[in-house]
Amino acid sequence: MSDPRIKPRVPAVNPEHPLAKGLVGAWAMQDGGGSVLRNVSGNGFDGVITDATWTSDRYGTALEFDQAVDDGVAIGSSVVSGVRTVAFTWTFPNGWGSWEPSDSYLWARADMPTNDDMYACIATMLGNMDFYRMIGAANGFFRTTQSTWAAGHPYHIVFVIDPVDGIKVYIDGVREVPNVIHNTTLAVVADSDDFYIGRRHNRGALYGVGLCSDFRLWTRAIDANEATSLYQDPWSLYRSPEPVLAGAPAAGGFFEFDQLTGGMPDLRGGMV
């Protein structure tokens, strides 16, 4: 049986998995080299890597961002149209807390001069993590209560725009109580602009720091149980279903079928 804490070496989305519903992007950071970040969902939208460094973490391969100018991954346009859930795994190698020298942009949608239709996730100089959803002058905003992030710990973070409850954030499977929250029921993105991991576009030197092990987008709001499952078994979406075997007892405790007769096993011995 696969270790639920180890990322498959060749991850591919299992279309029968419940979390495959509404999935538009899954970047498993599995490539380990090169300038292309493949979307293993099969929906296209491969990312283009600029200056970020391939490295490894406890799960396998990852991309490291060091806030250098031009660091980041450009995913391309159209991928975020209608997105309601963003889930990602992020590690701060040296930790993150109050009075950091600058904000760290973990991901963002391309923000046009009018700030129309933008998502952004920022690890702030005060240590909190901010999630934005903007439409022109209006914006939805969620600031986490958590403001200290342990060095080397891979945080599994889920950002949801729920059509009823507005913005929700889960950290390691637990719904976060906001430090600040307002205007969270804005509509989801309906047009197409580029999406970035590890930087914010068109706003100067606003880049991210840390390791990203996985990044996913859905066009639906995943529920609390699903958010918890992403922490408890983060790679289940990338594993094929376990085969179900039946037949007569054999080495290793499996059963065998009688290939000649097609008979079913009689557990008392023999075939029926």
Side-chain angles (χ1 to χ4, degrees), residues 207-239:
Y207 300 94
V209 61
L211 278 63
C212 185
S213 306
D214 189 67
F215 201 95
R216 306 178 197 179
L217 300 174
W218 285 265
T219 54
R220 66 181 179 91
I222 70 172
D223 62 31
N225 290 332
E226 291 174 316
T228 298
S229 74
L230 284 171
Y231 169 64
Q232 294 175 337
D233 190 358
W235 316 118
S236 64
L237 179 61
Y238 297 150
R239 292 195 297 268

Side-chain angles (χ1 to χ4, degrees), residues 50-225:
T50 302
D51 291 342
T53 304
W54 286 106
T55 186
S56 59
D57 63 7
R58 68 176 65 183
Y59 299 128
T61 51
L63 271 178
E64 184 170 11
F65 306 91
D66 61 3
Q67 288 190 302
V69 174
D70 292 334
D71 258 13
V73 179
I75 299 300
S77 61
S78 300
V79 66
V80 294
S81 181
V83 161
R84 286 191 176 275
T85 300
V86 182
F88 58 103
T89 303
W90 199 277
T91 302
F92 295 101
N94 299 315
W96 193 266
S98 61
W99 307 112
E100 297 293 340
S102 63
D103 292 340
S104 172
Y105 278 74
L106 309 189
W107 51 265
R109 186 166 177 269
D111 55 318
M112 308 309 291
T114 58
N115 279 338
D116 268 354
D117 295 328
M118 186 193 75
Y119 296 103
C121 175
I122 312 158
T124 71
M125 296 170 67
L126 299 177
N128 309 85
M129 200 169 285
D130 289 353
F131 296 83
Y132 284 94
R133 166 72 182 96
M134 296 183 181
I135 301 180
N139 67 84
F141 174 71
F142 185 112
R143 170 167 287 177
T144 64
T145 297
Q146 181 164 332
S147 59
T148 301
W149 310 82
H153 176 82
Y155 288 96
H156 296 263
I157 302 171
V158 182
F159 165 71
V160 180
I161 300 178
D162 190 280
V164 176
D165 299 329
I167 294 176
K168 297 186 286 188
V169 173
Y170 299 85
I171 301 173
D172 288 348
V174 179
R175 185 173 175 179
E176 175 75 352
V177 176
N179 177 278
V180 180
I181 189 170
H182 65 85
N183 201 21
T184 66
T185 56
L186 296 175
V188 298
V189 169
D191 64 358
S192 57
D193 280 316
D194 287 347
F195 194 90
Y196 292 85
I197 302 172
R199 65 173 292 179
R200 181 175 177 181
H201 178 65
N202 199 30
R203 283 299 179 105
L206 297 175
Y207 300 94
V209 61
L211 278 63
C212 185
S213 306
D214 189 67
F215 201 95
R216 306 178 197 179
L217 300 174
W218 285 265
T219 54
R220 66 181 179 91
I222 70 172
D223 62 31
N225 290 332

Side-chain angles (χ1 to χ4, degrees), residues 30-38 47-54 63 73:
Q30 79 289 344
D31 300 278
S35 61
V36 176
L37 182 63
R38 289 186 298 112
V48 177
I49 303 167
T50 302
D51 291 342
T53 304
W54 286 106
L63 271 178
V73 179

